[in-house]
Amino acid sequence: MPTKTMTGATVADAYLQLLADRGVDYFFANAGTDFAPIIESFAKAQALDTPVPEPVTVPHENTAVHMAMGYYFMTGRPQAVMVHVNVGTANGLNGLLNAKRGQIPVFFTAGRTPTNEEASLPGHRSLDIHWTQEMFDQGGMVREAVKWDYELRNGEQVETVVDRGLTIAMSEPRGPVYLSLPREVLSHPMASYSYTSPTRQKPATAARPDADAVDEIASLLAKARNPLILTGSGGRTAAAWHALSDLAERYALPVIQHRFRILSLATHHPMNMGYGQDGWVSDADVILVVDTAAPYVPAQHRLRDDCKVIHIGPDPLHSYVPIRGIPADIALTCGTAEGLEAIGDALESHAVAARDQIEARRKALAERQRKLHAGWDARLEDARNQPVIHPAWLSHCISEAKNEDAVVIQEAKLLTSHMRFDHPQTLWNPGAASGLGHGLGAALGVKLAAPDRQVIGVHGDGAYMFGNPVSAHYVAAEQNLPHLSIILNNGRWQAVRGATVGQNRDGYAARSNRQPLTFLDAIDGYEKVVEAAGGYGEKVTDPTDLPRAIDRALKVVEIEKRQAVLNVICSTG
């Protein structure tokens, strides 16, 4: 077995070199006193030109975790995050929840407060905080939000622990892992240390779809008169995007992407039937759910008695959800792309007898899509002429200004019906657990991974505050990551208001002009924050000036290579 050996090293030295050897490019960190051996090792590596991940100073854990998520989204390679003991772990939990629900692998680590009071041990307790930050079970805070957690016990197991964490994170369904790193262990000296390179530990391959189940699914779809595909995350990979596109087009299967987390089908694909479920779910006789935990809300949609519901994906029953009663007549465990491709191949023979029915459905769906688009066009025309910027007009203007391959991070209610996206992995909402504050960090991670791509983040005013903008703008300045952030500023928590009124349609809140706990209008000068980091900020209130404002901001990003923020004062739509 090929090995590499280092001499005169500490456990921290071995740990960082192993991360680099295993393909970890970046080390996103918010440091504390537990980082002393890590910082010493980074300084040593810089002086000796030793390969280690690139350290990135990130002043808030929410930014750090979502940067790692964004980098993975563009590269398919998990990155390392390190935070400060228990308090940093707590601050990073929001990002971990998003990563777990979004199946994004992150190698999330935290220092561990020293436990030894004896001065003879390197890394021993040396500050009063080392007593008050100690916990009985630090990992217990995140155990439900990660796939695996462990604490490094000694230097001899560094290779085993690193490989274990990375392979579990990258095995389907993918997700974050947690490793705590005691300061005494990291500080421990080793005369020599050898490790296998390249590693002999590989992630588990995705499950191959069961042939009998695939054949049954193909038979049901071929016989269906009103089949329907529902997905919110089916396009996690380019391969899955293309497989879904091919399956839907070949067999005239309409696709609805309601409250999607990642766009899974081109906006103008002939089988893209929009983003609302009314008139679709209740009429379907076969529903194919692609990698989505909540394809519809049972309280809002009643299925036909004869409707068959099929779920496919790495975890088709979404076992991480404690209670879930959505019907699953067939649950096919598989890689998403592999499952869609297998169903498409199996349909070839089953669809022969149904060819006329499929072509008749194709024509009917084309007419239905034409009427859908006509309605969207009328809504956009109305929005264009309103005195306050409407979200539909903002969505359209962003679409008109962006590059064809731009990556848009969505943390506000963009109206995809007024936008055009033709390529996979170009529209993403990283908040799979609805942990707000994800957009700013994710945009930075995407830009770090793809510096030549145009990156645009769209955030609600509340989400922008959750995103720790000073931290995010600092990282963008330090790492030279010019991108555009657009704040959809309606001065309120619109989702909270909607939920309240939806539950109490004739209640006091519905009749109130100012519902408690929903307004965010005490300040509106968010564009000033980026100026502290040398960026460009502008407030936009006039709908007619919006296209020019977006062009001005993109020119700053692309020509001047500075980050920019547009604070767009919008109606609630």
Side-chain angles (χ1 to χ4, degrees):
M1 293 185 298
T3 61
K4 292 181 180 179
T5 300
M6 60 183 75
T7 58
T10 64
V11 173
D13 296 335
Y15 172 69
L16 293 179
Q17 289 188 43
L18 265 165
L19 289 179
D21 186 82
R22 279 16 180 187
V24 175
D25 302 317
Y26 288 94
F27 188 96
F28 303 108
N30 188 292
T33 58
D34 49 325
F35 275 65
I38 290 288
I39 293 173
E40 176 65 18
S41 291
F42 272 125
K44 180 179 178 181
Q46 291 171 354
L48 301 180
D49 197 26
T50 304
V52 294
E54 181 71 23
V56 178
T57 302
V58 187
H60 196 279
E61 296 82 357
N62 209 21
T63 312
V65 178
H66 290 112
M67 281 190 74
M69 291 170 59
Y71 193 90
Y72 167 81
F73 179 73
M74 295 305 295
T75 65
R77 298 194 302 275
Q79 300 303 300
V81 174
M82 185 169 176
V83 300
H84 176 45
V85 297
N86 58 346
V87 289
T89 298
N91 264 354
L93 183 55
N94 178 62
L96 283 180
L97 289 169
N98 284 332
K100 179 68 181 298
R101 295 300 187 252
Q103 299 181 28
I104 302 288
V106 176
F107 195 72
F108 184 81
T109 68
R112 178 76 159 78
T113 299
T115 58
N116 292 282
E117 301 177 9
E118 293 78 12
S120 59
L121 288 171
H124 63 85
R125 288 185 174 181
S126 57
L127 295 168
D128 58 306
I129 199 67
H130 293 155
W131 278 262
T132 55
Q133 285 182 331
E134 171 69 1
M135 293 184 70
F136 289 103
D137 185 11
Q138 182 172 299
M141 286 190 290
V142 300
R143 194 155 293 135
E144 193 172 343
V146 296
K147 294 182 66 180
W148 171 88
D149 72 281
Y150 194 71
E151 180 170 296
L152 185 65
R153 310 291 171 81
N154 54 65
E156 287 70 18
Q157 65 172 183
V158 170
E159 180 179 4
T160 301
V161 168
V162 168
D163 285 345
R164 181 71 172 160
L166 288 172
T167 53
I168 288 178
M170 286 293 286
S171 297
E172 296 282 5
R174 295 177 177 180
V177 295
Y178 181 71
L179 176 65
S180 56
L181 300 164
R183 194 169 82 162
E184 299 100 321
V185 175
L186 291 174
S187 302
H188 189 75
M190 297 185 293
S192 66
Y193 183 77
S194 297
Y195 59 92
T196 304
S197 179
T199 179
R200 296 185 63 190
Q201 299 291 332
K202 300 295 182 183
T205 58
R208 303 300 300 179
D210 177 78
D212 291 338
V214 167
D215 190 69
E216 184 179 358
I217 292 168
S219 176
L220 287 170
L221 288 172
K223 295 174 183 176
R225 291 192 172 276
N226 295 306
L228 177 64
I229 297 177
L230 299 177
T231 187
S233 304
R236 294 184 201 278
T237 65
W241 163 291
H242 291 301
L244 177 60
S245 178
D246 180 66
L247 175 67
E249 186 162 13
R250 282 165 65 191
Y251 303 106
L253 301 172
V255 178
I256 298 292
Q257 302 172 84
H258 180 62
R259 293 180 61 86
F260 62 86
R261 291 299 172 183
I262 180 169
L263 191 69
S264 301
L265 193 70
T267 51
H268 290 68
H269 187 283
M271 290 300 117
N272 187 337
M273 295 298 144
Y275 312 97
Q277 298 177 328
D278 289 346
W280 293 98
V281 172
S282 59
D283 289 345
D285 53 0
V286 175
I287 296 176
L288 176 64
V289 179
V290 182
D291 199 5
T292 301
Y296 65 92
V297 178
Q300 298 172 4
H301 299 280
R302 180 179 176 84
L303 298 182
R304 287 171 41 165
D305 291 340
D306 63 344
C307 180
K308 297 293 185 182
V309 183
I310 303 157
H311 298 256
I312 72 167
D315 180 10
L317 296 181
H318 300 274
S319 55
Y320 58 85
V321 179
I323 187 69
R324 181 178 185 267
I326 292 171
D329 297 291
I330 302 175
L332 180 67
T333 303
C334 58
T336 304
E338 293 85 348
L340 291 168
E341 290 167 357
I343 292 169
D345 291 343
L347 264 166
E348 282 284 1
S349 58
H350 285 281
V352 171
R355 185 56 58 190
D356 291 344
Q357 179 177 298
I358 290 172
E359 292 310 311
R361 185 169 65 236
R362 190 186 308 278
K363 290 179 181 179
L365 289 170
E367 176 60 18
R368 197 165 179 177
Q369 188 186 67
R370 185 192 66 78
K371 291 180 179 178
L372 184 67
H373 285 197
W376 291 347
D377 291 343
R379 181 173 64 178
L380 178 60
E381 195 59 33
D382 178 67
R384 182 197 306 267
N385 298 312
Q386 291 191 12
V388 180
I389 296 171
H390 189 284
W393 178 237
L394 173 61
S395 302
H396 170 77
C397 291
I398 293 171
S399 184
E400 290 293 296
K402 72 178 181 66
N403 293 341
E404 184 180 355
D405 69 342
V407 181
V408 177
I409 306 299
Q410 176 180 324
E411 196 177 11
K413 191 171 177 56
L414 282 175
L415 296 178
T416 317
S417 48
H418 304 299
M419 307 185 77
R420 186 174 193 106
F421 292 93
D422 296 319
H423 304 290
Q425 296 176 292
T426 51
L427 179 59
W428 179 40
N429 180 332
S434 287
L436 292 183
H438 50 79
L440 290 170
L444 292 173
V446 167
K447 188 65 177 178
L448 188 65
D452 296 330
R453 296 277 291 274
Q454 187 183 73
V455 178
I456 300 173
V458 185
H459 322 276
D461 45 333
Y464 180 73
M465 285 190 278
F466 264 125
N468 309 104
V470 173
S471 166
H473 294 320
Y474 172 85
V475 177
E478 187 198 55
Q479 295 295 316
N480 190 26
L481 301 173
H483 67 291
L484 173 59
S485 297
I486 297 176
I487 304 171
L488 196 161
N489 185 354
N490 57 26
R492 68 192 68 191
W493 291 119
Q494 184 65 9
V496 177
R497 181 192 181 279
T500 304
V501 174
Q503 184 176 333
N504 307 277
R505 295 193 179 278
D506 298 319
Y508 291 97
R511 298 192 296 270
S512 171
N513 291 324
R514 192 174 181 85
Q515 298 87 355
L517 303 179
T518 63
F519 276 80
L520 296 170
D521 55 357
I523 63 172
D524 66 359
Y526 299 112
E527 75 281 358
K528 300 293 184 183
V529 180
V530 73
E531 295 176 4
Y536 172 81
E538 180 181 349
K539 182 188 293 184
V540 189
T541 59
D542 185 349
T544 61
D545 190 42
L546 182 60
R548 292 188 295 272
I550 295 175
D551 287 341
R552 286 192 294 270
L554 286 174
K555 186 175 293 185
V556 169
V557 170
E558 294 165 2
I559 307 275
E560 300 178 21
K561 303 300 181 184
R562 292 192 293 147
Q563 58 183 312
V565 169
L566 289 183
N567 179 16
V568 181
I569 308 302
C570 291
S571 68
T572 60

